[in-house]
């Protein structure tokens, strides 16, 4: 059972009698249906529908806990405070609790565990006071596991304030509720869903000749298809324009990340349409 401490993650808590109503009106995910023991993907968007923050949200007594990138925790608390108005809520970072991940087995008894609902093989998130239990895996092991499953993370695989939720696969990972009421950026997200206009997606990437640095341009025949994200053990994630990839495959072109070939695939859990090479185009 690998357990990895995640020092790059921190917690923000929102408590009070109006916590559910406040969050339901600003987040992409549905907090009303959030079950005890579940960590659900969600995001806070710009009015234009781009991701400002991504996080895992779970229930605590009298409110909710946000598992967010550590260097963005204070900014998330500040942004949520802007939406508070007269709501009876308290919003604050919680530096006393450490974040860890466990997969492929049981979890330490000293930690509170919540199931990571993005993918069954991601296992659980663990929350406990620092030093409450020891880890037998490194942070890099967790990210290699996440990347192998094709699960993107903001700040590592895509840039905040630049990607739409569909591009970051939030529609595939349960991070958007298309049936609840309005939230910040909802009109843009709903339009992309109903019109099928998400031309850019994060794809799984394999690098048979070695992985390039994150942020490397992916090209084919001199045209930019996208950029690479995080990498681990010869695999990675990449943000790619599907229409341009389709044109390249139809023409028999090999996508390159820098000067290295890259094989691009839809993550195994995803259901969106992928372009295919035309019969007889390559060779």
């Amino acid at each position: 059972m690998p357990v990895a401490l995640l020092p790059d993650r921190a917690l923000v808590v929102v408590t009070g009698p109006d916590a559910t109503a406040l969050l339901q009106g600003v987040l992409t995910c549905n907090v009303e249906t959030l079950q005890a023991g579940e960590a659900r993907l969600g995001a806070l968007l710009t009015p234009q529908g781009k991701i400002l923050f991504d996080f895992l949200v779970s229930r605590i007594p009298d409110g909710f806990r946000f598992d967010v990138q550590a260097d963005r925790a204070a900014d998330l608390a500040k942004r949520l405070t802007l939406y508070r108005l007269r709501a009876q809520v308290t919003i604050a970072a919680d530096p006393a609790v450490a974040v860890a991940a466990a997969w492929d087995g049981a979890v330490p008894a000293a930690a509170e565990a919540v199931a990571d609902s993005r993918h069954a093989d991601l296992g659980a998130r663990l929350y406990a006071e620092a030093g409450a239990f020891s880890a037998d895996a490194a942070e890099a092991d967790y990210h290699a596991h996440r990347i192998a499953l094709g699960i993107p993370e903001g700040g590592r695989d895509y840039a905040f304030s630049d990607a739409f939720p569909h591009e970051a696969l939030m529609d595939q990972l349960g991070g958007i509720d298309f049936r609840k009421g309005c939230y910040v950026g909802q009109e843009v997200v709903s339009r992309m869903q109903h019109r099928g206009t998400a031309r850019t997606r994060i794809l799984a990437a394999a690098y048979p000749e070695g992985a390039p640095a994150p942020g490397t341009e992916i090209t084919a025949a001199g045209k930019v298809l996208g950029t690479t994200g995080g990498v681990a053990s010869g695999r990675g994630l990449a943000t790619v324009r599907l229409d341009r990839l389709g044109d390249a495959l139809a023409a028999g072109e090999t996508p390159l990340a820098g000067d290295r070939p890259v094989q691009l695939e839809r993550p195994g859990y995803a259901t969106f349409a992928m372009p295919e090479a035309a019969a007889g185009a390559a060779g």
Side-chain angles (χ1 to χ4, degrees), residues 163-175:
F164 292 104
H166 282 78
E167 296 175 348
L169 308 189
M170 285 192 168
D171 62 316
Q172 309 288 303
L173 293 166

Side-chain angles (χ1 to χ4, degrees), residues 243-261:
D243 55 340
R244 295 179 184 176
L245 174 62
D247 291 343
L249 294 177
E253 301 289 347
T254 298
L256 299 174
D259 59 356
R260 304 174 187 181

Side-chain angles (χ1 to χ4, degrees), residues 6-261:
L6 303 179
D8 65 332
R9 307 295 292 186
L11 300 182
V12 172
V13 295
V14 180
T15 57
D18 296 334
T20 299
L22 170 65
L23 298 177
Q24 190 74 348
V26 297
L27 305 183
T28 61
C29 59
N30 192 326
V31 297
E32 291 182 351
T33 62
L34 185 63
Q35 300 297 307
E38 174 191 3
R40 180 175 292 177
L41 177 65
L44 181 61
L45 310 180
T46 68
Q48 295 75 33
K50 294 192 174 182
I51 301 169
L52 277 176
F53 303 90
D54 67 351
F55 41 74
L56 294 174
V57 59
S58 54
R59 288 189 177 275
I60 58 174
D62 195 32
F64 300 88
R65 164 180 51 208
F66 290 79
D67 176 338
V68 65
Q69 193 169 305
D71 61 2
R72 297 181 64 78
D75 288 340
L76 174 60
K78 183 177 180 181
R79 176 69 62 159
L80 289 172
T81 299
L82 292 177
Y83 292 111
R84 181 178 61 185
L85 300 176
R86 295 183 177 87
Q88 297 182 55
V89 296
T90 299
I91 303 168
D94 187 358
V97 178
V99 180
W103 61 100
D104 294 340
V107 300
E112 178 187 356
V114 292
D116 190 332
S117 66
R118 291 175 294 175
H119 194 293
D121 291 342
L122 277 174
R125 297 299 265 222
L126 310 181
Y127 305 117
E129 291 186 5
F133 60 87
S134 59
D136 57 5
E139 180 184 3
D141 295 327
Y142 165 74
H143 287 295
H145 177 60
R146 173 183 62 79
I147 287 170
L149 293 172
I151 311 295
E153 186 175 291
R156 290 178 176 270
D157 304 302
Y158 63 88
F160 290 112
S161 300
D162 186 58
F164 292 104
H166 282 78
E167 296 175 348
L169 308 189
M170 285 192 168
D171 62 316
Q172 309 288 303
L173 293 166
I176 308 171
D177 190 303
F178 294 104
R179 295 167 298 190
K180 74 168 193 168
C182 294
Y183 54 86
V184 179
Q186 182 260 346
E187 290 185 3
V188 176
V189 176
S190 293
R191 190 180 309 124
M192 293 185 75
Q193 176 72 5
H194 296 304
R195 295 183 180 177
T197 54
R199 293 183 298 177
T200 299
R201 291 285 194 174
I202 289 181
L203 301 180
Y207 302 101
E209 296 182 13
T216 300
E217 282 191 344
I218 297 174
T219 62
K223 295 182 179 180
V224 176
L225 308 185
T227 57
T228 62
V231 297
S233 302
R235 297 194 62 84
L237 298 173
T239 301
V240 177
R241 277 279 299 265
L242 297 182
D243 55 340
R244 295 179 184 176
L245 174 62
D247 291 343
L249 294 177
E253 301 289 347
T254 298
L256 299 174
D259 59 356
R260 304 174 187 181

